[in-house]
Every structure is written in structure tokens, then in C-alpha cells.
Amino acid sequence: MTPKASQEGRATGTSFKGVFAYLQHDKRLEGQDVNSTSDRVEWQEFRNLATENPHMAYRIMRATANQQDALKREAGQSLAGNKSDKVVFHYSLAWHPDEKDDVTKTEMMKAADESIKALGADGHQAAIIAHNDTKHPHLHVVINRVNPEHGKMLDLWKYQERLSKWALGYEQSRGTIYCEQREMNWKRRDLGETFSADKCEVYHKHDQAKGLGHANDNEIRKIMAAQKAKDAALAENGAAMHERHSEEWKDLSKWYATGKAKIAGTSAGDTPTPFQKARAQIKEQYRPAWREHYAKQRTETKYFEKREQRLLGKLENAVSAVKMNKELAATDKGHAQSSLFNFLTSSKARADALEQLHAAQTRKLG
């Protein structure tokens, strides 16, 4: 087992989007600006994130880091202390090639969780991403250093020693020592000697040592710059399309209202028109559906209010609010979308999202 993080302080970074862009895609081929394929991603798991969607995961991690002070205030913590924007911590775990047939997904997840705990980060948001592009099994771990409960930063003092000590115990528990140098180093440490690192690269050179990627490298910046340019062009085209559709929708609504009024008509006396008769029949037919509709909405509101009593419950409601917001935007062209950060920080915004969705469902059934 070899745990590795970039040397010279480069294990930490500022961009969740950048490190996810690198880990979620294949390495760039020569001449490529961006590689959009993801064949090397074998599987991925998330911790303390209320989502299994990687695109949502890094946004939640970013939003959590952005509200560090608010989390501290809510937890009654002091806002004093050194500030740092290095909220991303990234390292990898690699097994010996001889273990390839014995190391299952369950074993890899177990090791990842143990290493996170060894760092004191088991309460932090984390992504575990396994790759299959090398002869040796390996995975990457991305940790949000800002704790989602109280906002404190993860202390990385001597993190290399902590990972090294855990890795030694891990190999001992599996019955085979692949990194003999590490075992010797710890015996010498026990005698009072000092080491900056174990330098155990017996069976592979870590990708980061070759400059192939970490949270802040130039390759990621190029990917982000290219994506930013694409986003800008897409936004410009989207704005023009939205304006055109808005005018078309106004004309369609006017035509529909005129046609509806003509079909409905009015009764000259007490005798209802055929349309009015049909409407009354449909109203009676749908009465059970209305009862079920309102019962379902009352249940959803009840569980929403219950989740609002817990911090992780608020996070679940925020993620649900984003989904509801997108659902409304897909059916209502005039609906203004809110950001994930707005839902994370505002209880009223979360409640409004649920209320607006319920209103749209009621209109649809009507």
C-alpha cells in the first residue's frame, strides 16, 4: 500500500472543479485541449454529501467551503485564526500489482475510509474515485478541509506521517509487507530519528510525480479556460433563444386564451352548455386524484420541516431544492433559477422552492 499526496505543499488546492475535472476524465492525449471521455473511472463513492452525482458533489463542496464563517457562527465557534483558501486536499492510495486479483471494490472503499479516519477527516465531505488505467489498483481521495458541521479547517500537520503509519498497519493486517523501507523507517523513528518521507516507490511512480495532475496544475487551468469559453458562447446563444421563445410564447398564450374562451361559451339561461357539462363530469371524476394530490403534498411538507431541524437535513433539502428548481425551469420558461449556494444559506429559499413546485403540480392537475 502506498499513500501519496503531491509534494512541496501541492497536495492542497483551491479548485474542487479543477481536481474533479482531472479525476473524472481520461488523461489528455497529445494535441488535445480537453479529453471528455471517462473510461478510466472504474467507480466512485461520496461521503457526507447527500448526493451520488459528481457534478453536484463538487458544487456542494465548494458551497460548503464558501460558507465557512457562517458554519462557525452557527456552531458557536470563534471566527479568529489563520484564513486559507487551500480547502481542497487530494491524495491517492495504490496497491501492489500482485494484489490486483485480491483487491475488491469493498476492500478499496474500506482502505479509503480508514485512511480518511487516520487523517481525522471522517466527518468531512469526501469523494473516492477509483481508476483502472494502471497495472496496480489505485484510487484518489478528495477531501473538503472545511468541516460541514462546525466550519473548522482540517489540520494537515504531519499528514504524510499519519498516512504512512496507517499504511504500515494496513499492510501488517493483510499479512504481507510490500514496502519494507517504510517498516524500517518507522523502527528508526521509534528510536528518535527524523524522516521527511518514507520514499517508498518500490512498485510504481505516482502520477503526480510526473506532473500529470493535481488540484492546481496547468493542465487543469487549460481545461477550465476552454470550458469557460464554451460556457460563455452557450450562454450567449441561450439568451437569444430565450428571448425568441418568450415572444413566441406570448403569441401562443394569446391565441390559446382566445380559443379557450370561444370553446367554453356561456349559457343563455339555466341550461349548462355541453362544455360546462363535460367540465362538471371531469371534476367529479378527478375528485379522488385531488385528495391523493393534497395528501402527498402535506406529507412532503411534513418531512421537509422535519429535515430542517438538522444540518445534514438542511443539506438534503438544499439538494432537493436544486432538483425542484430545475424541474420548474423545464416546464415554466419564466421561472428564475436560484443557485445551490442560495439554497444552502437560506431556509426561506428552500421552503419557497417546495411551495412553488407544489403550486406547479396543482396547476398541472387542474
Side-chain angles (χ1 to χ4, degrees), residues 160-179:
Q160 290 171 317
E161 285 191 18
R162 282 185 272 172
L163 285 175
S164 171
K165 192 166 187 177
W166 165 77
L168 175 61
Y170 177 80
E171 286 197 343
Q172 289 172 339
S173 69
R174 285 174 61 81
T176 303
I177 300 296
Y178 287 96
C179 184

Side-chain angles (χ1 to χ4, degrees), residues 204-220:
H204 78 103
K205 295 290 185 181
H206 193 268
D207 290 341
Q208 293 166 334
K210 301 177 183 177
L212 296 180
H214 56 85
N216 287 325
D217 67 9
N218 292 330
E219 182 173 328
I220 297 306

